[in-house]
Structures are given as structure tokens and as C-alpha cells.
Amino acid sequence: MTTGTRSESEVEEFRVRTDLVVVGASAGGVEALRTLVGALPEDLPAAVVVVLHMPAGGSSALPAILSRSGPLPALAVQDGAELRSGHIHVARPDYHVVVQDGVLRLSRGPTENGHRPAVNVLFRSAALAKGPSVIGVVLSGALDDGTSGMAAIKSRGGVTVVQEPGDALYPGMPESVLQHVEVDHTLPVARIGPLLADIAGESAIQVTIAPVPEALRMEVAVSRDDAGAEFGEIPAIGSPTTYTCPDCAGSLLEIPGNGVQYRCLVGHGWTADALMEAYGGTLERAMWTALRTLDQKASLTHRMANVSRDAGRDLVADRYSRQEEEALAAANVLRKHLLRGGVREETGT
């Protein structure tokens, strides 16, 4: 309940129940999720919403896997579905999940870190819609999706829980949250379920939080596809950079907050780590394209040299042969670099 009137510098006061658990995971997340939901009680007085990074195509078996892993039924999110205590709502492939007006909405809004669904989208919308009623949980995953969302939950008075990095198959996401957010609980995943059972449904909690930042409102609006942020509004939440979006090649804005965040003018969102990884992928694709082009040039110049020699044009043939040698030399250097990079990536050296 908000008490009295307030200015921008004043705070809101609430008495709430912690009745919404939002969980984000990526690589190694299925195993962690199975452990977590296996320890939840069948009478959990909160709804659970799960986002796991997954490919855009096809369907997800995660609801069936989680239903078999514990006493709570798990179901794929339907657009407009009510949040149901004692149920696990699982994001669908290629759709963001947004908490809005007390229900779950599916959105084809812009990707974040190349993902749809994305953890940050769910977490930010939950923080905006439910404030201190939210418990945020980040499990195993690479890179740093979930960090800005957990910062939003923390800023709105919610409870923040992170899997102990040493307990995670992929510690990147938990480590990133711990670096940027003062979390409430850091535990092995086997202990997170019992913790949620203890704190979910707590009532009569007096929480004091600051007014909602305009940047949070805007980023949640960007992720929705029923209304969203209109063109021209996004620049208001960031400052221009010289970087470009890997998804659309548009200019990126730097968004202030916990950790470095970027968003392009049509809404694609990136963290610094994810942006560097995307640039790395773009660079590698360009290098393979260059290698293919050099191989084709070498093959073509070899043929043209033979044709010229057969026609008695030795000077022209020599010129083609030199071009072939140059192309082959460049291709060999590039091929060795690419293959060495692949070995390092696979072996972790």
C-alpha cells in the first residue's frame, strides 16, 4: 500500500506477500532446475515462472521434465495466463514472458543478448509489476543474462537468490550477478528449493523502496509487443555510442545501471559480455567467408593460368600464377588461425 503523497525523492511503502518466484537459467540449467523443483513443496504459496535459454525453433520438453522432477505441475506459458500458486510456468521457445497486470503475456519483442525468451525481460517486468512480492533466482548459465534483471528486482525490494558459482555447471551467470548486485542468498542449488519453501508466501512484510526508474519502465515497454515503446522514446534512456547492433546493424545506446547495457533504436538489448561474444561470432563468420573467397580466387587463377599457357600467353599466365600463390599463402595463414582458434575454444586452453 502506498502511504500518502510523494515526490520523486520520496519512497513507497508496501505490505506484501512474496508470491512470485522468477527463475532464470541457461547452459547447465536443466539439471539445476530439476534439483530445485524437486525440493519444492506441493503447497508452495507462490507461482514459479521459469526462463531457460532455448533455440527458437520447435517445442520444449521442459514442462514435462519439471513435472516429473517434483510435486508441482509445470506447464508452458499461455498468453494471458493467470499466475497460479503451486504451479511452474515455463517460457516457450521464441517468446519472451512478461508479467503485466497480474497475468503472464507472451511477447515477440526484440531479442536480448540474442535470446528470446530472455531472463532479463522476465525479471525486469516482474520487478516493475510486483515489486517486493518477487523472489528472483539465477542458476547455471554462461555470460551475464539475468544481472540487470536481478538488479531491478533488488532495487524494487524483492529477494535475490543465486546458485553458488562453484556448484553450477556454468558459473558465468551467477558470478556476474554476484559482481554487480548485493544478493540476499548464495546457495548450492540443492538448498535453494528449501529456502524458497521457507520464504515464499511470507506476509505482513514492511518494505520501503524508491520510485520506479524511468529506464526500467522503458525497458519493460520495449520488451512488449502489444504496446511497447514507440520509435523515438528509446534514445531517452541512454547515450549514443559508436557500436552497432549484431542483430540489425543499428546504432547502440549505452544504458546506465548495474553493469554495462546496450540497446539499439529498435529495441535489441545487449550486455557487454554478450555483445563481445556476438562480435566475435561475426568476426569468425567474416574470416571463414574470406577464406572461402581466397580458395575460390586461387582455384580460378590456377585455371586462368593454364588457359593462358595453352594459348601461348606466358606473361599473362605468369601473372595469374603469382596471384594464385598470393591467394594460397593468405588462405593458409587464415586457415591455420581459424583452426587454432577452434582448438583453443574446444579444449578451453
Side-chain angles (χ1 to χ4, degrees):
M1 174 176 72
T2 304
T3 57
T5 59
R6 60 180 176 84
S7 67
E8 285 297 312
S9 61
E10 291 177 328
V11 297
E12 297 177 272
E13 295 182 351
F14 293 86
R15 297 180 69 85
V16 301
R17 292 178 65 251
T18 49
D19 58 2
L20 174 59
V21 179
V22 290
V23 184
S26 186
V30 174
E31 182 175 329
L33 285 165
R34 291 181 63 186
T35 301
L36 186 153
V37 304
L40 295 176
E42 61 182 350
D43 60 348
L44 184 75
V48 181
V49 186
V50 172
V51 164
L52 175 72
H53 293 160
M54 62 188 77
S59 59
S60 171
L62 189 60
I65 293 171
L66 298 185
S67 289
R68 293 194 300 266
S69 300
L72 300 184
L75 58 156
V77 173
Q78 302 287 339
D79 187 48
E82 294 184 3
L83 290 163
R84 299 175 64 185
S85 293
H87 288 70
I88 302 170
H89 306 267
V90 181
R92 292 175 174 271
D94 207 27
Y95 286 92
H96 290 312
V97 178
V98 178
V99 181
Q100 180 183 345
D101 299 328
V103 301
L104 296 174
R105 304 305 306 266
L106 294 176
S107 168
R108 292 295 307 279
T111 59
E112 296 231 358
N113 293 339
H115 297 296
R116 191 193 297 117
V119 178
N120 280 333
V121 169
L122 170 64
F123 282 20
R124 289 195 207 102
S125 67
L128 180 63
K130 300 280 287 180
S133 298
V134 179
I135 304 171
V137 182
V138 167
L139 303 177
S140 174
L143 300 181
D144 53 2
D145 190 22
T147 297
S148 69
M150 282 287 262
I153 290 172
K154 183 72 175 182
S155 72
R156 295 283 293 151
V159 179
T160 50
V161 183
V162 173
Q163 182 179 4
E164 174 66 47
D167 181 61
L169 288 176
Y170 291 82
M173 283 173 55
E175 285 177 344
S176 178
V177 175
L178 291 172
Q179 289 170 5
H180 295 98
V181 183
E182 187 176 344
V183 302
D184 299 302
H185 304 277
T186 305
L187 300 168
V189 69
R191 293 174 54 192
I192 294 178
L195 171 69
L196 297 179
D198 288 341
I199 64 178
E202 288 186 350
S203 59
I205 301 173
Q206 190 73 31
V207 181
T208 304
I209 60 175
V212 178
E214 186 57 33
L216 176 59
R217 291 187 189 277
M218 182 65 65
E219 290 208 282
V220 172
V222 167
S223 66
R224 292 161 41 196
D225 62 4
D226 60 340
E230 296 183 3
F231 182 79
E233 293 184 284
I234 295 176
I237 64 173
S239 54
T241 74
T242 58
Y243 308 129
T244 56
C245 175
D247 279 347
C248 68
S251 298
L252 287 173
L253 302 169
E254 185 169 323
I255 310 299
N258 292 73
V260 182
Q261 307 284 319
Y262 298 95
R263 196 172 289 279
C264 72
L265 296 180
V266 297
H268 297 120
W270 298 91
T271 62
D273 285 350
L275 186 60
M276 284 190 288
E277 175 134 316
Y279 282 161
T282 300
L283 176 60
E284 182 172 347
R285 287 191 296 273
M287 292 172 72
W288 282 110
T289 299
L291 177 59
R292 186 194 69 220
T293 303
L294 287 167
D295 283 343
Q296 290 174 342
K297 180 178 180 181
S299 177
L300 180 59
T301 52
H302 178 79
R303 172 165 175 73
M304 295 305 298
N306 288 339
V307 169
S308 297
R309 289 196 198 282
D310 290 343
R313 297 193 298 271
D314 290 342
L315 290 177
V316 175
D318 289 343
R319 188 183 70 206
Y320 281 128
S321 293
R322 288 194 297 271
Q323 292 178 356
E324 177 191 1
E325 291 172 2
E326 291 172 358
L328 286 172
N332 286 336
V333 171
L334 193 52
R335 182 176 283 105
K336 289 178 181 178
H337 175 78
L338 286 166
L339 294 178
R340 282 202 305 268
V343 171
R344 282 199 299 272
E345 183 177 352
E346 291 173 4
T347 62
T349 58

